[in-house]
Amino acid sequence: MSGYLEGVLVLLAVNVVFAYGGFLPLAAGQLNLGLAGFAAIGAYSSAYLSNVFKLPPLIAIAFAGIVAGAVALIVAAPVLRTRGIYLALATFALGQIVQAIILNLEVVGGAAGYPVAAFIRLPAIAATATVVVALVWLLFATRFGIAVTAVHDDETVADLMGIDVRAFQVAAFALGSAIAGVGGGLYAHHFSFIEAQYFNISLSITIVLYVLLGGTQTVFGPLLGAAVFTLLPEVLRASANWRYVAFAAALIVLMALRPEGLVTGAQLRRLLGLARAQPRHAEVAAALPKEPSG
Amino acid sequence: MSATHPILRLESVSKHFGGLRVVEDLNLAVRRGVRTALIGPNGAGKTTVFNLITGVFPVDAGRILLDGVDITATSSHLRIGHGIARSFQNIRLMPHLSTLENVMVGQHCRNRGVRGVLQPVNLVPRNRWREAARAALVDAGLIEYERSTVGNLPYGVQKRIELVRALMAQPRLLLLDEPAAGLNPAETEALQAQLEKICIGGLTVLVVEHDMHFVGALCEDVIVLDFGRKIAEGSPEDIRRNPLVQEIYLGAPVAQPMERHSACSA
């Protein structure tokens, strides 16, 4: 495999992980613009763990996810008090705070950046990304996925249906942050050098864009969004500097044509409905139990 | 507990929005296993009473007792677990979920805790919760819409899905907010049949409804509200003959508009 191809695929895998970090809060209706901050927490804590404590990179990255998730749990109470545009601003501020703290944290290099000794290659990164995607897909095939979507669609009714709205909002926020932390850890251990400036607002916005353009309604959206927006700039590479213009234009066209994202739930259900024959009513009625046993 | 012991009791309940007294010192009791209608003109506070019972708003004064247990301070998301489920005046299904998933939302209160939340309802085709939800859709004659996005379905179908969702909580008390509003006569009849079927098991129903034919056919008790106060209660027959209720619903004597007419032409 050429170095270029490996580089693109690593970027793709890391971006897919970031995208699922953005998907969880968005699926619950939260616009989180502090994802880069949680990615930074993951990157720096995993780098510190592997540099100082000599933990194997993948173990360090798993811990980094836990650290980012724990920080999210702590800040969730004040941050999730806000909603809508104010939530976006609060999370944006949170990202800025994390960046500022790292810039002043001499133990991890401060403004000079932080070199990472351990190195991981594409197979480990791709495997981690696959595990993350599989876990999120599995999670959303449980009642959790239904409850989070219910919270997104109608908080009042979700609450009256017995769903602890706040608990699901906190869970989505913390899990998304943990995944962003894992993404940061992967990035740190492949590119061998991290600096606070990389984890800025434009990283957060890019992550949110992956999800919004891919679609927030199904677990396939973030994968598709991250893939399209990692690979499209590479395809457009031939046109040198103009590729960013073309990329931005493609973004606007896509938003106009598919405002709910590339894949939507209704579309997916239509496809599945075509693939599976509709069962006949009488047969289903005879085959089904009346009530679950407990 | 005796059959006459009310399943729901409101004691001196009041609710004000700013200076507006929406519910004022309301006392009411819903008999167990009885279908009770809550009627009254627009703005009488009927939906607010539902919102107070389900905890959407806290009461300003008074107590709400379910089966003798004081639930006045119980948070809204726990009340369905006590056995109170409801439908909504304007359909409030989850637009991004399929029909089946919407129905499964109704099971949530019986599926709490980490194990309940991690039930693989969309992963294992024969998951018992999924099958129970499908069986309920089969019973209601709605299984053909199982995978449909709810927003695209006819109004009457959405109303019936909302009813199935509420029933999945296995409530003791079902609150229906204008279930027949916006339905055509055939749909109203289908709904009435569905409600009569579910009431065979002894479910208590409290229903806000304007359609007096529907109320007369379905309900045994009627409570009349006006300006947040109870002004009458009794059987549908009693209520129909009650002069106070007639005045509220039909307005003052028929002569008045004619007088106004003559005043205009004068």
Side-chain angles (χ1 to χ4, degrees), chain A residues 67-82:
Chain A
V67 171
V71 172
L73 272 182
I74 292 164
V75 298
V79 167
L80 293 180
R81 220 170 256 283
T82 60

Side-chain angles (χ1 to χ4, degrees), chain B residues 9 19 66 70 72 88 133-134 138 150 160 171 175 195 197 199 205 218 222 255:
Chain B
R9 188 195 287 280
L66 182 75
D70 190 338
T72 319
F88 297 85
R134 296 193 71 228
V138 171
V150 289
R160 282 159 67 203
L175 309 178
L195 283 175
K197 195 166 138 194
C199 289
V205 178
L218 186 75
V222 180

Side-chain angles (χ1 to χ4, degrees), chain A:
Chain A
M1 193 184 292
S2 75
Y4 168 73
L5 187 60
E6 184 180 358
V8 170
L9 290 178
V10 164
L11 210 56
L12 175 63
V14 172
N15 286 345
V16 165
V17 173
F18 280 152
Y20 280 92
F23 170 70
L24 270 134
L26 278 167
Q30 305 157 7
L31 181 54
N32 182 348
L33 291 181
L35 287 160
F38 292 104
I41 292 171
Y44 275 86
S45 55
S46 67
Y48 188 78
L49 287 170
S50 70
N51 279 354
V52 176
F53 296 100
K54 307 291 174 213
L55 284 186
L58 289 181
I59 306 281
I61 290 166
F63 270 113
I66 294 169
V67 171
V71 172
L73 272 182
I74 292 164
V75 298
V79 167
L80 293 180
R81 220 170 256 283
T82 60
R83 35 193 68 234
I85 193 75
Y86 298 100
L87 176 64
L89 287 174
T91 50
F92 165 69
L94 191 66
Q96 297 299 107
I97 292 169
V98 171
Q99 220 184 341
I101 290 174
I102 291 170
L103 278 172
N104 290 294
L105 215 57
E106 286 307 323
V107 66
V108 289
Y114 192 46
V116 186
F119 179 70
I120 51 172
R121 302 189 68 97
L122 178 63
I125 295 169
T128 309
T130 308
V131 168
V132 166
V133 173
L135 285 179
V136 175
W137 285 16
L138 282 175
L139 184 62
F140 273 74
T142 68
R143 197 168 275 288
F144 182 92
I146 294 178
V148 161
T149 311
V151 167
H152 169 276
D153 281 359
D154 194 330
E155 276 182 35
T156 307
V157 174
D159 175 72
L160 292 178
M161 286 291 146
I163 295 171
D164 189 340
V165 172
R166 176 44 63 101
F168 279 93
Q169 286 172 333
V170 170
F173 182 71
L175 282 174
S177 302
I179 294 171
V182 168
L186 292 175
Y187 176 89
H189 284 86
H190 183 77
F191 294 95
S192 303
F193 182 77
I194 45 179
E195 51 183 348
Q197 292 87 333
Y198 172 74
F199 301 96
N200 59 15
I201 179 67
S202 80
L203 177 63
S204 293
I205 291 174
T206 310
I207 295 171
V208 167
L209 276 182
Y210 294 150
V211 187
L212 290 184
L213 296 166
T216 55
Q217 295 170 19
T218 75
V219 286
F220 303 98
L223 184 63
L224 194 66
V228 167
F229 289 98
T230 307
L231 301 179
L232 196 59
E234 298 305 322
V235 175
L236 297 171
R237 192 174 279 276
S239 60
N241 290 334
W242 283 99
R243 71 190 174 116
Y244 292 109
V245 178
F247 179 66
L251 263 179
I252 293 167
V253 170
L254 200 73
M255 278 177 160
L257 294 181
R258 294 207 59 86
E260 297 234 39
L262 284 169
V263 249
T264 63
Q267 186 187 21
L268 204 66
R269 280 192 284 275
R270 262 201 310 278
L271 287 173
L272 289 175
L274 283 178
R276 271 186 258 165
Q278 292 280 342
R280 267 179 292 157
H281 298 186
E283 271 176 23
V284 174
L288 294 179
K290 283 285 167 250
E291 266 304 308
S293 48

Side-chain angles (χ1 to χ4, degrees), chain A residues 143 154 159 162 291 294, chain B residues 76 92 104 107 112 128 170:
Chain A
R143 197 168 275 288
D154 194 330
D159 175 72
E291 266 304 308
Chain B
S76 47
R92 299 279 287 269
M104 288 195 289
Q107 299 168 326
R112 303 175 64 88
R128 65 198 174 97
Q170 295 187 336

